[in-house]
């Protein structure tokens, strides 16, 4: 009985040791592969040169624009040059909204005494009448205030939404979420009370002179009920607010001649490496190729596109042969329609494709801090067990949370969706504004993001997730 | 016996519960205090305005310069205005090295065919002869190569140190450490082999046109043996290296008229809040007030100075009464002498002061990632037990490591020294160069650093460390 016990213990111990050695070897090899990924990313990657081209040779890439088409052609050609197993364009109809000539605005403290202020039409807004609109301004801190004020105080006026982003939020995306309803639904709601236009404080934590555009919706309003909507820079918003306190009868004037055209055809750009043993399991990594028109879209989301392309390039470069199919998707029209993401998921469902994992980079090209995940708990636990492998690269954040707008439509009860989470502090200084430009992207920060994404894709491919 | 046991168990359980409640309350109250610290830092702190003044109204603050004295006066006056218990200047003699008129350099591929290149004299270097020096160049990858080459190949030439910082290091300070011997000791070593001058590739991971200065030493060389030393921009270093491969007989010319003057008196600026229950235990928080002269010293180390001042301001602002004495020290002359740090420690020893903790911020005003610690294991374990309190602020790094040059001289076997560790990726793009300027500091990143420092100082003050 005792001997039996000793034998049993010894066998158990041996099994345990073998198990440890195996885990050790796997960890070692993973450590080495990830080190290789970071080394290649920091010395031989293509992200930064690609982004330079997208930003400086092409520029802002609003859906339906010539630049968006140039970006499709350029990234398709670059993916073609990587020797992937398949590269293709996936057609999708997208909205075509055009800003027209630069907007113009001022406020008038007494007849003839005017102060020009920087504004930008919100994406999707209607134009003002050709001579602009001019009226008294009513400042509010949010949509709910309209109810209290009522039609009597709003009718015929311009509503000025001035609730700032909350500076005490550590994650600036939370501060953005707490404000963006003013931009998205502000015009629709103010129109119901008879406002003739709206001005929204830019979604920017910094006080500066850049107005920030972004998408908006008129909901179910009829064409005749739509009112023009523009964003004003944070500095000008502060100035206007102060001036209104001194003189509530200030008049605001603005003029914009933006226009919505019929939808046009555009494309998602897709490339893949076929999996060697589970080709039917698909891992998607992507960003969105369209951008707003004011800057060159370097952070939003040129960075995410070139990082995603580079994930495939780097995995090839280190000689890794994926077991599963790894696909890069550059989505079209995230900013004002999400048509690319929606179409990609529709086609995937139509073809009965089995997507096990999606990773999007759409939070800027800043120093990566980690990921947030949206998927089954068991998959999240598995991913969390890899966290230590990222420690040497100062990647600490592995949390449940959102992923990315474009991969969102792939959501079901099995897939895990993830978002790269770079440092968020500077993001809204540039987001949707004229200063979202290449010189504000740091090469190493961009490359570290790429390496972090490639490392996670490598681990998901090697060990799999819920099918 | 049994009843006795039950009673004992019950008592133990009660004590345990009380203990848990107490810990819970302490944690809660710490959570609340830290939340307050971050809220005040992100909404009412003074760091950014102070830095604006230091950078834009004063500018580069090289030891012994008028600007350094202006910085002493300004920060002293600002500390005076905070209502601390004591503010004073601590005299210290500092070196006075002056750059003189701008340096000039070119390389000549054939007689009369020249390419101008951006250089900057290293701090402490001697001047060239009035008409400059001109000679053939010998490129090396490091000091050890001089031994192999020997005097025959070096004598009469300019040595060009061109080993780049290693891009695969994740922490850029490690890449810096791996290279900086070329700058610090390059001239001293090359002079021994008869070189007539040295040019060092700038300590910069980015390819750009900014030369980066920094300290150097001639060791024991006699005045007559000293040779002039300058840094060249990374772009120009690449160009020179490529050109030398095509034509090894290229001549390099440079001219600089920098000069060392006798030492002058300057000051550490010190302010403190007296501890209420352990006033004899001193906690120091600081940065260095001097900077190089090319930029305005915003990241190195204006940021650390204003953050340190703000730690005391914020603790006062939230109404916290420290148990121990909390002292801010703005050290003079970190860059080219460390005289301020040395003098501060000397005076502290002379006065038998008991410093229990020192925290320095001298790694730029970027997004904080955590701290490194140098001190007894038991203190490190205690500090690590507070790590979870920092998690909501995305502060993850609590590691053993270096602290800061200025607080280094306080080192003994009881004190814990710590360094704030911000994201390091962009630091060496600006370090000691013309582009270390205010616009490259992000307000929120600076303030988050301040809050992170204040939170740690609060915890050390409240719970103490090894006395």
């Amino acid at each position: 009985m005792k001997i039996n016990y000793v034998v049993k213990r010894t066998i158990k111990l041996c099994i345990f040791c073998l198990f440890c050695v195996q885990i050790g070897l796997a960890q070692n090899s993973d450590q080495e592969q990830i080190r290789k990924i970071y080394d290649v990313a920091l010395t031989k990657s293509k992200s930064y040169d690609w982004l330079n081209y997208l930003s400086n040779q092409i520029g802002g890439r609003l859906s339906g624009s010539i630049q968006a088409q140039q970006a499709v052609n350029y990234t398709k050609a670059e993916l073609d040059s990587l020797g992937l197993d398949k590269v293709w364009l996936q057609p999708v109809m997208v909205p075509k909204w055009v800003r027209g000539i630069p907007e113009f605005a001022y406020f008038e403290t007494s007849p003839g005494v005017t102060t020009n202020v920087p504004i930008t039409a919100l994406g999707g807004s209607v134009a003002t009448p050709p001579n602009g609109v001019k009226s008294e301004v009513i400042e509010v801190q949010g949509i709910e205030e309209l109810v209290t004020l009522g039609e009597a105080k709003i009718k015929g006026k311009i509503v000025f939404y001035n609730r700032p982003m909350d500076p005490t939020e550590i994650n600036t995306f939370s501060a953005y979420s707490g404000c963006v309803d003013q931009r998205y639904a502000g015009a629709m709601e103010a129109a119901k009370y008879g406002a003739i236009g709206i001005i929204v404080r830019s979604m920017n934590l910094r006080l500066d002179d850049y107005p920030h555009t972004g998408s908006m919706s008129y909901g179910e309003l009829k064409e005749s009920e739509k009112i023009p909507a523009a964003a004003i820079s944070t500095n000008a918003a502060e100035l206007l607010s102060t001036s209104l306190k001194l003189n509530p009868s200030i008049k605001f004037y603005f003029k914009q001649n933006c226009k919505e055209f019929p939808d046009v055809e555009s494309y998602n750009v897709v490339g893949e490496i076929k999996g060697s043993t589970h080709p039917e399991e698909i891992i998607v990594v992507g960003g969105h190729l369209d951008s707003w028109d004011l800057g060159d879209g370097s952070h939003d989301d040129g960075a995410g596109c070139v990082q995603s392309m580079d994930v495939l390039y780097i995995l090839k470069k280190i000689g890794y042969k994926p077991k599963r199919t790894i696909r890069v998707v550059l989505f079209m029209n995230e900013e004002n329609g999400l048509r690319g993401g929606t179409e990609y998921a529709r086609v995937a469902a139509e073809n009965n494709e089995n997507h096990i994992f999606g990773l999007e980079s759409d939070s800027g090209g800043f120093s990566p801090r980690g990921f947030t995940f949206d998927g089954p708990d068991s998959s999240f636990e598995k991913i969390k067990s890899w966290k230590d492998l990222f420690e040497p690269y100062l990647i600490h954040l592995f949390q449940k949370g959102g992923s990315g707008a474009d991969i969102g439509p792939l959501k079901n009860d099995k897939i895990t969706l993830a978002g790269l989470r770079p440092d968020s502090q500077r993001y809204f200084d540039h987001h949707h504004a004229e200063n979202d430009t290449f010189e504000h992207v740091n090469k190493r920060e961009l490359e570290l993001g790429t390496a972090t994404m490639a490392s996670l894709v490598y681990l998901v491919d090697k060990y799999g997730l819920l099918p």
Side-chain angles (χ1 to χ4, degrees), chain A:
Chain A
M1 189 71 170
K2 268 235 155 148
I3 290 174
N4 208 341
Y5 172 77
V6 170
V7 169
K8 268 188 185 168
R9 282 284 299 239
T10 310
I11 291 173
K12 271 187 186 168
L13 195 69
C14 286
I15 291 174
F16 179 72
C17 287
L18 277 170
F19 181 71
C20 290
V21 167
Q22 207 168 23
I23 284 192
L25 284 178
Q27 281 278 351
N28 248 335
S29 133
D30 289 338
Q31 273 170 19
E32 284 162 19
Q33 288 284 39
I34 290 174
R35 184 66 254 184
K36 270 192 218 163
I37 287 171
Y38 275 86
D39 284 352
V40 170
L42 288 164
T43 53
K44 300 188 186 84
S45 65
K46 291 175 168 260
S47 323
Y48 196 64
D49 285 346
W50 281 331
L51 188 62
N52 184 16
Y53 193 97
L54 269 182
S55 300
N56 289 322
Q57 303 283 316
I58 297 177
R61 305 170 291 281
L62 192 53
S63 290
S65 67
I66 291 172
Q67 291 91 335
Q69 185 57 42
Q70 287 175 326
V72 166
N73 298 344
Y74 172 67
T75 51
K76 163 83 162 57
E78 289 300 310
L79 287 178
D80 276 335
S81 76
L82 298 186
L84 306 180
D85 293 318
K86 196 176 161 197
V87 177
W88 70 100
L89 298 183
Q90 184 175 65
V92 54
M93 295 302 288
V94 297
K96 181 179 170 74
W97 176 87
V98 173
R99 182 172 303 281
I101 58 166
E103 302 83 347
F104 176 63
Y106 61 78
F107 63 85
E108 190 178 71
T109 40
S110 60
V113 181
T114 60
T115 304
N116 292 357
V117 288
I119 65 156
T120 185
L122 295 184
S125 172
V126 294
T128 57
N131 290 327
V133 290
K134 185 174 176 182
S135 84
E136 285 194 1
V137 189
I138 182 144
E139 177 178 342
V140 297
Q141 294 301 302
I143 288 169
E144 52 292 349
E145 235 183 276
L146 302 180
V147 188
T148 327
L149 289 167
E151 195 171 319
K153 289 191 176 147
I154 297 171
K155 192 164 180 149
K157 291 189 186 151
I158 291 169
V159 172
F160 167 37
Y161 291 98
N162 195 29
R163 184 167 83 258
M165 287 170 74
D166 180 356
T168 67
E169 291 280 2
I170 304 303
N171 181 337
T172 61
F173 285 84
S174 304
Y176 179 69
S177 301
C179 262
V180 72
D181 64 321
Q182 301 177 103
R183 189 192 78 203
Y184 190 74
M188 170 178 24
E189 296 303 324
K192 293 175 187 165
Y193 293 89
I196 62 164
I198 70 149
I199 296 293
V200 188
R201 181 191 181 98
S202 285
M203 304 291 125
N204 177 9
L205 280 153
R206 198 168 71 158
L207 291 175
D208 65 25
D209 298 322
Y210 296 107
H212 294 227
T213 190
S215 67
M216 58 161 298
S217 165
Y218 289 113
E220 302 299 315
L221 293 188
K222 284 181 236 147
E223 206 52 38
S224 61
E225 295 166 335
K226 295 179 179 176
I227 59 174
I232 187 169
S233 75
T234 46
N235 269 341
E238 292 283 301
L239 183 63
L240 178 59
S241 180
T242 306
S243 306
L244 280 168
K245 280 183 189 71
L246 297 170
N247 176 6
S249 64
I250 278 174
K251 289 209 167 65
F252 195 91
Y253 170 85
F254 73 113
K255 188 169 108 165
Q256 57 193 31
N257 72 340
C258 39
K259 192 173 168 188
E260 190 93 43
F261 289 85
D263 289 358
V264 297
E265 190 176 63
S266 186
Y267 306 92
N268 294 326
V269 181
V270 193
E272 71 178 24
I273 304 174
K274 208 80 185 163
S276 59
T277 59
H278 301 79
E280 73 292 353
E281 292 189 14
I282 299 169
I283 293 168
V284 161
V285 56
H288 64 85
L289 199 50
D290 66 307
S291 78
W292 283 106
D293 54 334
L294 299 176
D296 63 31
S298 282
H299 276 297
D300 186 13
D301 183 27
C305 289
V306 298
Q307 287 175 322
S308 300
M309 293 163 71
D310 228 356
V311 166
L312 274 71
Y313 174 70
I314 290 170
L315 291 179
K316 275 186 83 78
K317 193 88 183 165
I318 66 163
Y320 180 69
K321 307 267 180 245
K323 297 178 182 175
R324 295 165 171 84
T325 293
I326 301 182
R327 194 180 277 179
V328 53
V329 186
L330 312 179
F331 296 94
M332 184 51 69
N333 184 232
E334 189 269 352
E335 294 295 1
N336 56 339
L338 208 67
R339 302 279 185 88
T342 310
E343 178 65 5
Y344 180 81
R346 190 194 67 73
V347 172
E350 190 176 85
N351 295 343
N352 281 316
E353 285 181 347
N354 178 18
H355 284 70
I356 64 157
F357 184 64
L359 169 60
E360 182 155 358
S361 167
D362 183 20
S363 304
F366 300 97
S367 259
R369 310 291 303 262
F371 302 97
T372 47
F373 298 94
D374 175 16
D377 286 345
S378 60
S379 296
F380 181 55
E381 291 307 316
K382 190 167 187 178
I383 290 170
K384 271 208 297 190
S385 75
W386 303 327
K387 190 168 179 260
D388 286 353
L389 288 164
F390 290 85
E391 181 77 28
Y393 307 98
L394 304 179
I395 302 301
H396 299 104
L397 191 79
F398 282 70
Q399 276 180 1
K400 291 222 147 197
S403 57
D406 298 288
I407 59 175
L410 289 170
K411 172 86 179 158
N412 60 35
D413 57 0
K414 289 192 182 147
I415 194 172
T416 295
L417 299 174
L420 180 72
R421 295 294 154 228
D423 197 286
S424 76
Q425 299 312 320
R426 295 179 183 223
Y427 186 65
F428 290 98
D429 296 358
H430 304 281
H431 183 244
H432 297 181
E434 191 186 316
N435 64 337
D436 180 4
T437 46
F438 184 67
E439 69 270 26
H440 296 293
V441 176
N442 177 278
K443 183 171 181 282
R444 288 177 59 82
E445 292 182 0
L446 183 76
E447 291 167 347
L448 286 168
T450 304
T452 306
M453 292 167 72
S455 301
L456 182 61
V457 166
Y458 155 77
L459 290 165
V460 170
D461 176 72
K462 185 166 168 190
Y463 297 109
L465 286 177
L466 269 190

